[in-house]
Amino acid sequence: MQQELRTYMEEQFMFEFDSEITEDTDLFKAGVLDSFGYVSLMAHIEQHYGVRIGEEGLLDNVRVSLSGIVELVEAARERTAGSR
């Protein structure tokens, strides 16, 4: 999942993860993401991974790095699996 998200983000937001922009970099501060890009990314995650982030998840748990976003998806997957 992490590699797919990494590739998606690099293609969608036209940048590359490297020594300056790592998987732990705040992508908002680095100028890679803005609010529209973040919402688009969350929509991709919901569609591609079948998890529900929801409005509260978008606003209460804003993740600003790839590693943080991966944690968010894993937690959402666990919640989804637990509710079945």
Side-chain angles (χ1 to χ4, degrees):
M1 169 192 39
Q2 186 160 346
Q3 186 58 46
E4 187 280 329
L5 279 175
R6 180 182 174 126
T7 300
Y8 172 83
M9 291 171 72
E10 287 179 332
E11 292 173 357
Q12 186 71 24
F13 304 115
M14 296 181 288
F15 78 102
E16 289 185 19
F17 285 99
D18 56 21
S19 61
E20 289 184 32
I21 300 177
T22 69
E23 293 183 0
D24 295 317
T25 298
D26 182 322
L27 298 172
F28 284 96
K29 288 183 182 177
V32 172
L33 278 181
D34 60 15
S35 58
F36 294 111
Y38 187 75
V39 170
S40 172
L41 176 61
M42 293 300 115
H44 168 78
I45 288 169
E46 286 186 336
Q47 292 172 356
H48 193 78
Y49 295 103
V51 297
R52 177 94 172 106
I53 306 293
E55 204 171 302
E56 290 109 26
L58 284 175
L59 301 175
D60 295 342
N61 297 311
V62 174
R63 303 300 171 108
V64 297
S65 67
L66 175 59
S67 57
I69 292 166
V70 168
E71 289 174 8
L72 177 70
V73 174
E74 289 173 347
R77 281 179 154 178
E78 288 177 16
R79 281 192 309 278
T80 302
S83 65
R84 290 184 184 173

